[in-house]
Amino acid sequence: MAAAMESGKGEFPVGTRVVISGLAGTVKFEGTTKFAAGIWVGVELDLEKGKNDGSIQGVKYFECKTKHGIFLRPDALRKQPPPQAAAPAPAPTPDAAPPPSPGSPKASSGAAEAKSPSRRTSRKDS
């Protein structure tokens, strides 16, 4: 197998995560090739949706699994946005009361509390 051509140092350096028509992948090659003029970007797709294994016409440009490799012009790619961190829980507002703790009187289900019977003294006047 022949060696790959010179690698470029452009917008998509090796290791950059990219998206192509909804498919995610990692840049494995950027530069000129023997199969066509200009700068090409070789991407290893996460899914088996590619066209090659990093080789075209007997030239190995990068290593990847069969049908995971694809070559595209840089303008066909966009960088994958970094994963967003989970948003922190909002802080309680000063006027908001904290929830009652289990077993506290306010945590009851609304049932009436048992009261001790009142002592009434009745007098019989004869």
Side-chain angles (χ1 to χ4, degrees):
M1 243 182 227
M5 302 296 286
E6 182 179 323
S7 181
K9 294 193 188 326
E11 182 179 356
F12 297 100
V14 171
T16 303
R17 292 289 295 166
V18 293
V19 177
I20 310 109
S21 302
L23 297 172
T26 304
V27 173
K28 296 289 189 172
F29 171 86
E30 183 187 39
T32 59
T33 65
K34 289 187 175 188
F35 63 83
I39 300 296
W40 289 85
V41 180
V43 177
E44 178 179 13
L45 298 173
D46 294 347
L47 302 174
E48 190 179 309
K49 300 280 186 172
K51 297 182 177 183
N52 57 58
D53 65 354
S55 302
I56 293 189
Q57 299 174 354
V59 179
K60 185 69 131 181
Y61 295 94
F62 64 94
E63 296 276 338
C64 74
K65 294 179 190 174
T66 303
K67 297 206 177 218
H68 281 255
I70 192 166
F71 285 86
L72 300 147
R73 296 288 188 178
D75 60 357
L77 302 172
R78 65 180 172 87
K79 290 182 181 175
Q80 185 176 33
Q84 297 212 357
T93 57
D95 58 335
S101 60
S104 71
K106 290 186 179 183
S108 70
S109 62
E113 293 183 27
K115 294 185 179 183
S116 60
S118 61
R119 294 186 185 208
R120 289 188 193 165
T121 12
S122 61
R123 288 187 193 176
K124 283 189 174 179
D125 288 329
S126 342

